[in-house]
Amino acid sequence: MEGGAWLAHKYLMHGPLWSWHEDHHKPNGNLFQKNDRFFLIFAVPSWLSIMFGMIYQFQFLTGFGAGIAVYGLVYFLVHDVLIHRRFNWFDKTENKYFRAIRKAHKAHHKNQFKQGGICFGMLLVPRKYFHI
């Protein structure tokens, strides 16, 4: 999932779907952003895969949909809660891995434009962010 998310972030969100993702890089102070639409883009195929996989007893499809759902939950907890602090649940963490994730994502957000970004992944962090 991380590889698929990396590809979608780099080539879709920072590509033809930039108009939805732009307010994530240039926050407007609203609770919800156009960027939140991506939740639906990933939630609908997850739900359909689980539903049709269970209806037709196709376990691979059920597992595929469940994998998307689990990644979505992890994405919410790491990206929205840990990194962007939409909720103050993990404010005091000193975990090296979590700190590296925050630093890498902060490096990604230094560039507020469609082109020229770095660190498009979320869970896999370049080694250098563990030492900064």
Side-chain angles (χ1 to χ4, degrees):
M1 284 305 303
E2 177 73 3
W6 185 92
L7 287 169
H9 188 190
K10 182 171 175 91
Y11 294 107
L12 293 176
M13 295 174 172
H14 281 261
L17 298 177
W18 174 249
S19 63
W20 287 13
H21 189 58
E22 185 176 14
D23 65 353
H24 182 62
H25 283 265
K26 300 174 184 174
N28 54 21
N30 295 333
L31 178 62
F32 294 104
Q33 305 169 338
K34 290 180 192 173
N35 187 65
D36 294 330
R37 296 173 183 169
F38 289 110
F39 165 79
L40 293 175
I41 287 179
F42 293 111
V44 169
S46 171
W47 165 65
L48 290 174
S49 295
I50 293 170
M51 183 178 76
F52 286 117
M54 293 181 81
I55 289 172
Y56 296 108
Q57 301 295 311
F58 193 39
Q59 294 176 351
F60 174 78
L61 191 58
T62 305
F64 180 76
I68 295 171
V70 169
Y71 188 84
L73 176 63
V74 170
Y75 181 88
F76 169 74
L77 291 172
V78 172
H79 183 262
D80 290 354
V81 177
L82 178 70
I83 295 171
H84 288 289
R85 301 176 183 209
R86 282 186 160 183
F87 304 95
N88 55 1
W89 298 343
F90 308 122
D91 278 355
K92 305 287 185 204
T93 185
E94 293 297 324
N95 181 285
K96 279 182 144 185
Y97 175 64
F98 290 160
R99 289 171 50 132
I101 287 174
R102 276 189 186 151
K103 289 173 187 171
H105 203 74
K106 188 174 180 179
H108 175 72
H109 276 272
K110 275 189 176 179
N111 178 6
Q112 296 186 328
F113 303 101
K114 181 177 176 180
Q115 303 296 331
I118 59 171
C119 295
F120 290 93
M122 185 181 67
L123 298 176
L124 298 178
V125 179
R127 186 176 299 233
K128 70 179 183 180
Y129 293 105
F130 285 87
H131 305 293
I132 295 176

